[in-house]
Amino acid sequence: MKRGLKVIYTTYANEIDEKIAAIFSENFNINPDVRDVREVTDKEIPEHNVLIGGFPCVSFSIVAQNPKRLGIKNELSGKLFFEMVRIIKEKQPKAFIAENVKDLLSANKGEAFRLIISEFEKAGYNDI
């Protein structure tokens, strides 16, 4: 059986930090949208087959001391995974990858991970 090769390319990228966006652009030849992802409407994000995202780990890492490790109780960065949920609900890609630190599993005594998984399942993705 001969296997075909599919071309995979990035259709959209978002990175709020302009310095990181410049590095991304240099490495992947695409200019990320540098707005806060909460300001990006669903219509501005093109259709895609796979969503790959990493929400800020600062709230979940055990090295977080200033501010302290708040997990999902950090209003600024601890709830940005909801933006991934919003996008997959609207766009319904075939798959998604949500990347974070291993300490996400224990953040908020395990409550953070359970909430995140629950929200992805509510969006229709339950085969982990």
Side-chain angles (χ1 to χ4, degrees):
M1 180 172 145
K2 189 174 181 181
R3 294 181 185 211
L5 205 54
K6 289 191 175 189
V7 176
I8 298 174
Y9 58 93
T10 303
T11 59
Y12 175 84
N14 176 276
E15 172 53 60
I16 196 168
D17 185 307
E18 290 185 16
K19 289 179 182 176
I20 295 172
I23 293 168
F24 186 93
S25 179
E26 204 170 297
N27 286 314
F28 298 104
N29 202 29
I30 185 171
N31 293 321
D33 183 339
V34 292
R35 293 179 291 163
D36 184 326
V37 71
R38 294 172 286 203
E39 296 173 6
V40 179
T41 67
D42 299 333
K43 289 181 171 68
E44 294 175 282
I45 298 173
E47 297 300 319
H48 52 276
N49 290 323
V50 179
L51 182 139
I52 300 173
F55 44 95
C57 64
V58 124
S59 296
F60 304 107
S61 175
I62 59 170
V63 298
Q65 296 299 316
N66 190 14
K68 291 192 181 257
R69 183 180 183 216
L70 297 174
I72 55 176
K73 297 185 186 329
N74 182 326
E75 292 296 323
L76 182 60
S77 64
K79 296 190 177 191
L80 279 178
F81 72 89
F82 280 116
E83 296 307 311
M84 284 186 74
V85 172
R86 169 181 65 92
I87 295 164
I88 65 171
K89 276 183 180 176
E90 178 63 31
K91 298 297 181 178
Q92 290 292 296
K94 293 179 182 178
F96 75 93
I97 298 170
E99 177 273 335
N100 210 279
V101 293
K102 69 178 182 177
D103 303 315
L104 175 65
L105 296 170
S106 62
N108 305 105
K109 297 181 182 175
E111 178 187 350
F113 187 70
R114 287 190 301 273
L115 173 64
I116 292 166
I117 295 300
S118 172
E119 291 299 317
F120 286 137
E121 287 175 341
K122 287 180 198 172
Y125 295 81
N126 53 21
D127 291 329
I128 296 175

